[in-house]
Amino acid sequence: VQLQASGGGLVQAGGSLTLSCAASGSTFRASTVAWFRQAPDKDREFVAALKYGNSNPYYSASAKGRFTISRDNAKNTLYLRMNALKPEDTGVYFCAADRSIITGRIREQHAYGNWGQGTQVTVSS
């Protein structure tokens, strides 16, 4: 599956953004999907994930309560709604997908074999 992220931009602290990740190929619907982010000079970190066939999302501690991950399988699209944004949310956001993720590895970037190119989110204070 090929992925293309979009929707990033510059927003003030407290504002909102919705990221999208358009997928091509027939395996999106059967894939676990996720968002990761990478701040300057930091490692890529897990943000949120949604397993195939399971509507219960997984969130990082920093994302929980502010971000919402969702998917529209009819449109082959993954979303990340981000509310109450903080300057520390600044970074490049990547979408990822894979058909073979076990629950114990859902937060591990190396478990995902398909990645989008990333979209920049900048939150000003």
Side-chain angles (χ1 to χ4, degrees), residues 15-26:
S16 299
L17 275 177
T18 298
L19 305 183
S20 299
C21 178
S24 61
S26 60

Side-chain angles (χ1 to χ4, degrees), residues 109-125:
Q109 60 169 312
H110 298 296
Y112 293 83
N114 302 284
W115 290 85
Q117 84 286 6
T119 184
Q120 176 71 45
V121 173
T122 303
V123 185
S124 62
S125 57

Side-chain angles (χ1 to χ4, degrees), residues 37 39 42 45 62 66 85-91 93 123:
R37 69 185 182 190
K42 291 189 176 180
E45 65 174 1
S62 62
R66 299 188 298 127
L85 283 161
K86 306 174 182 179
E88 51 264 43
D89 294 317
T90 294
Y93 282 69
V123 185

Side-chain angles (χ1 to χ4, degrees), residues 23-66:
S24 61
S26 60
T27 61
F28 176 79
R29 300 182 182 194
S31 297
T32 293
V33 290
W35 289 97
F36 289 78
R37 69 185 182 190
Q38 188 166 16
D41 299 322
K42 291 189 176 180
D43 292 334
R44 192 172 299 186
E45 65 174 1
F46 171 79
V47 176
L50 200 56
K51 287 194 71 175
Y52 161 69
N54 186 335
S55 61
N56 294 323
Y58 298 79
Y59 294 104
S60 66
S62 62
K64 194 169 186 179
R66 299 188 298 127

